[in-house]
Amino acid sequence: MIAHEDRSGQALRECSVGAMSANMALMHLCLETPDRHVARHILDDAIARERGAGRDRLLEVRSLWRETPNAYELIQAIVQTEAADGGDGIARCAAGFDAAAKVSPIAGVALYSLGREDLLQQATAEVVDDLESQGLLEHDRCALEIGCGSGRFLAALAPKLLYVIGVDVSANMLGHALRRCASYRNVELMQGDGRRFPSLSRASFDLALAIDSFPYLVAAGEDVARSNLMEARRVLRPNGRLLIINYSYRGDDDRDRRDILRLAREIGFAVRRCGVRPFRLWDGAVFDLERTAP
Ligand SMILES: C[S@@+](CC[C@H](N)C(=O)[O-])C[C@H]1O[C@@H](n2cnc3c(N)ncnc32)[C@H](O)[C@@H]1O
């Protein structure tokens, strides 16, 4: 079997048993198959082989694709933006996300949204519900988002918090975030790479979020990930929480858990949740850290 058929087939098998959402399965199919007709063929074959609930789940993937006819081309276009070259890891990342923001500020921050605002909002709501269930959202609290992208979390959290600051390395992403958050006076945006937040005072935040941004920091080097963690600790109040959703894209959950446990111990965080996947629409792994006192 050709490698892409194997990888796409695996995603469709997971979807057919209810272990992966239809949008994630379609994302993998589009991402890992070199031609849209081949992708369509792989999906039709998988549907023909299934019966019962498994078949219904795969038919959902096909319906989603019919409703989102540009999904394949959009996902391929975003992947091309990751090929930006020149500069160090952070500069390449900034160039890549600047380009992705021009293609689609929706798919550019969450490929599994397939570029659809409705799916992006549903996935955002799942994370906000998780924060709420942890008792982290109160009207007197301040939050920092590291790698805020086009601002979907800033806009969702602004009505629930006192103040929200978003930092991102990509000027184009920040431009979209500015427009998305234009009606909120308690949202501030800053450009930066997270290695230092010089303008932010120590112990001034209750919550720090890094949603799908650490994989880029880790890819830029462990020193970059470490300095972001140290800065997050500096600006958090004692017992403040840092939620990292997805630590890396290395595909090794055990290694991510070990790295987080080690860095948390060295830098001064207690680990409350370590790599759990509580969401339905995407497979984000939650690392929930609490800043230890003093
Ligand atoms: C996949 S997007 C996620 C955006 C947002 N958190 C969301 O979920 O909608 C990752 C974001 O991290 C930003 N990013 C990557 N490396 C960064 C760094 N060193 N400092 C700040 N932002 C960074 C990118 O520019 C991009 O906007």
Side-chain angles (χ1 to χ4, degrees):
M1 184 181 287
I2 306 170
H4 69 253
E5 284 181 21
D6 195 24
R7 286 195 303 269
S8 309
Q10 175 64 24
L12 294 176
R13 277 190 294 282
E14 285 183 33
C15 179
S16 71
V17 297
M20 184 183 283
S21 62
N23 57 297
M24 284 286 295
L26 181 54
M27 178 198 79
H28 279 291
L29 187 64
C30 296
L31 202 55
E32 282 145 18
T33 314
D35 179 286
R36 75 158 9 246
H37 301 291
V38 176
R40 182 57 199 258
H41 182 70
I42 291 173
L43 177 58
D44 287 346
D45 257 15
I47 292 171
R49 279 197 304 273
E50 283 290 339
R51 295 284 171 271
R55 182 183 166 84
D56 291 345
R57 291 192 188 101
L58 295 184
L59 286 172
E60 205 187 315
V61 178
R62 192 157 70 187
S63 305
L64 198 54
W65 198 352
R66 283 203 181 118
E67 288 166 20
T68 323
N70 66 339
Y72 184 88
E73 289 70 20
L74 184 59
I75 286 172
Q76 290 290 330
I78 294 286
V79 170
Q80 293 304 314
T81 65
E82 288 176 6
D85 50 25
D88 63 8
I90 292 178
R92 275 200 303 280
C93 187
F97 277 100
D98 276 344
K102 283 188 189 160
V103 176
S104 164
I106 300 174
V109 294
L111 264 188
Y112 53 85
S113 72
L114 313 169
R116 291 169 56 138
E117 181 67 22
D118 60 340
L119 283 177
L120 189 76
Q121 287 306 323
Q122 288 168 34
T124 306
E126 285 191 345
V127 176
V128 173
D129 287 351
D130 180 78
L131 298 175
E132 224 139 28
S133 73
Q134 295 291 315
L136 297 175
L137 305 181
E138 299 289 344
H139 286 286
D140 59 351
R141 295 191 182 169
C142 299
L144 168 71
E145 188 184 359
I146 301 168
C148 61
S150 48
R152 60 175 169 140
F153 286 106
L154 304 175
L157 295 175
K160 297 172 185 287
L161 292 168
L162 182 64
Y163 208 77
V164 199
I165 295 188
V167 182
D168 204 284
V169 75
S170 158
N172 289 354
M173 282 292 178
L174 286 169
H176 286 287
L178 192 64
R179 285 189 282 281
R180 196 182 269 277
C181 299
S183 58
Y184 297 110
R185 300 178 64 167
N186 59 344
V187 174
E188 193 182 322
L189 298 167
M190 288 172 26
Q191 190 169 12
D193 65 17
R195 279 189 283 209
R196 291 198 59 224
F197 302 129
S199 59
L200 304 181
S201 316
R202 64 183 299 281
S204 50
F205 291 90
D206 306 283
L207 176 64
L209 299 169
I211 300 165
D212 254 346
S213 52
F214 256 77
Y216 303 95
L217 309 180
V218 170
E222 189 180 295
D223 56 320
V224 180
R226 174 186 284 275
S227 49
N228 270 268
L229 282 168
M230 288 170 68
E231 274 298 86
R233 187 184 191 281
R234 184 182 68 78
V235 301
L236 279 172
R237 300 197 171 103
N239 303 113
R241 295 270 277 276
L242 166 62
L243 250 89
I244 297 172
I245 306 189
N246 284 337
Y247 178 68
S248 84
Y249 294 148
R250 298 177 298 202
D252 183 341
D253 288 359
D254 288 340
R255 185 176 172 199
D256 284 356
R257 289 194 189 99
R258 278 198 308 276
D259 281 1
I260 284 280
L261 289 168
R262 174 176 50 82
L263 287 165
R265 193 175 51 248
E266 288 170 11
I267 293 169
F269 288 103
V271 180
R272 296 175 64 119
R273 288 185 287 173
C274 195
V276 294
R277 298 183 191 272
F279 311 118
R280 192 180 62 81
L281 283 178
W282 67 305
D283 60 351
V286 175
F287 297 90
D288 183 350
L289 313 185
E290 179 173 341
R291 180 209 193 278
T292 49

